[in-house]
Amino acid sequence: MTAVAAADLTAKDFKSDYSPVWCPGCGHYAVLSSATKALAELNVLPENVAVISGIGCSSRMPAYTSVYGFHGVHGRALAIATGLKVARLELTVIVAGGDGYSIGGNHFLHACRRNVDLTYIVMDNQVYGMTKGQASPTTPADWDKSKLTPHGTGVRPFHPLAVALASGANFIACCFAGDPNGTAKIVTEAVMHPGFSLVEVLSPCVTFQPGQREWKRQVHKTENEPTVDAGRAARRLLDDDGFYIGVLYVGDRPVYQPDLEGGASLADLEAEFAV
Ligand SMILES: Cc1ncc(C[n+]2csc(CCOP(=O)(O)OP(=O)(O)O)c2C)c(N)n1
Ligand code: SF4
């Protein structure tokens, strides 16, 4: 059999045979296309890539790709991905999730802080799509369309980019699902940049947040070059209207990678935990 060269692969080779069950018009379709396009541009083989997710519409991503995948439990994708990456340094590990920053919030902080070489693609639609439209941590305070919060949440939304910057993420960018080529380019850069990369994608939930169809008129590409200065990045975030598209910050912190040489072997660990 002829060996497949990574350079010959196209985005289609990174898609599985399963058809997504997302609602027609959901932004996640475009994010899947962007991610597979990025993988083709990265010249990697599918067997050297893993996509890890939790639970949510966005977290169906591993099933729709041809790479290795792990559909974990809600809020634990980053913990699973961290363990995989430190054990299998040669793999490209991508984490796919939604804006469920509540249950997984603590893991998010510590993934940024640890700076393991992961790329976290967050499909942010400011709502829990899969569980039929409850408010999420990024939902605007006055969103009153959920029966659980008929008067709005009344709570200030979580700001993932600011939290990532303050917590030590090494690459921070924001994209729009309606700009699949721009998103693919940024995902490619994020994977290539060492350390923990956050790629926030504004990905409309047309079913529970139909107003997000307007995002295509609101997003604007930044004219700023990415900065390595966290203070400058923070000031840009303070001035931002939430529709900034582009790479905000590229840090140069050392990547966390424990030295696995000389550690306990799998057989040692199995013996230790044998019951
Ligand atoms: C521990 C736990 N708590 C709650 C749930 C219920 N649950 C399933 S998906 C989900 C949120 C999904 O929203 P998001 O991550 O924003 O993805 P989307 O569906 O919007 O793409 C929740 C809360 C769960 N599966 N597990
Ligand atoms: S419920 Fe929303 S997030 Fe889920 S598939 Fe439908 S449009 Fe997409």
Side-chain angles (χ1 to χ4, degrees):
M1 204 171 76
T2 318
V4 177
D8 295 335
L9 299 179
T10 65
K12 196 164 174 286
D13 295 305
F14 290 92
K15 285 191 177 162
S16 74
D17 295 332
Y18 292 105
S19 296
V21 294
W22 294 316
C23 308
C26 175
H28 300 351
Y29 286 99
V31 182
L32 172 64
S33 292
S34 301
T36 53
K37 188 165 191 243
L39 288 169
E41 280 167 13
L42 284 160
N43 276 344
V44 287
L45 289 168
E47 60 263 39
N48 293 330
V49 181
V51 177
I52 312 298
S53 69
I55 304 292
C57 299
S58 44
S59 286
R60 293 182 184 274
M61 201 61 80
Y64 303 145
T65 66
S66 62
V67 305
Y68 282 103
F70 194 110
H71 195 169
V73 291
H74 188 57
R76 296 294 176 266
L78 286 169
I80 295 161
T82 299
L84 176 62
K85 181 65 188 182
V86 297
R88 294 287 305 276
L89 186 56
E90 75 283 11
L91 295 181
T92 296
V93 181
I94 294 175
V95 188
D99 42 288
Y101 284 111
S102 42
I103 293 174
N106 197 19
H107 291 288
F108 176 57
L109 297 183
H110 293 284
C112 295
R113 183 174 75 89
R114 280 193 197 100
N115 204 27
V116 170
D117 190 14
L118 301 171
T119 300
Y120 187 25
I121 303 175
V122 176
M123 284 150 266
D124 193 340
N125 49 23
Q126 303 173 349
V127 73
Y128 285 163
M130 182 175 252
T131 47
K132 307 241 175 292
Q134 300 83 16
S136 83
T138 59
T139 302
D142 59 355
W143 185 71
D144 57 5
K145 302 291 183 286
S146 164
K147 286 184 186 148
L148 287 180
T149 49
H151 307 293
T153 67
V155 180
R156 176 194 164 114
F158 184 79
H159 195 320
L161 305 189
V163 174
L165 184 67
S167 308
N170 218 28
F171 179 102
I172 301 171
C174 195
C175 308
F176 173 49
D179 171 28
N181 290 336
T183 303
K185 184 169 174 290
I186 287 180
V187 170
T188 307
E189 287 170 26
V191 173
M192 289 171 70
H193 193 76
F196 183 81
S197 300
L198 171 67
V199 181
E200 261 268 312
V201 189
L202 295 171
S203 181
C205 173
V206 292
T207 300
F208 296 108
Q209 289 273 30
Q212 292 175 349
R213 290 179 190 273
E214 288 304 307
W215 277 356
K216 60 177 173 294
R217 277 180 266 282
Q218 291 168 282
V219 295
H220 51 89
K221 287 194 180 159
T222 177
E223 287 167 11
N224 294 321
E225 287 299 312
T227 179
V228 293
D229 179 335
R232 182 171 295 159
R235 281 190 295 280
R236 283 182 188 166
L237 281 178
L238 289 178
D239 290 339
D240 180 31
D241 62 358
F243 293 100
Y244 169 112
I245 301 302
V247 179
L248 172 75
Y249 175 72
V250 281
D252 55 6
R253 289 180 59 219
V255 175
Y256 177 76
Q257 177 59 46
D259 181 7
L260 300 180
E261 293 300 319
S265 69
L266 187 56
D268 291 339
L269 290 172
E270 279 174 353
E272 191 176 331
F273 287 97
V275 286

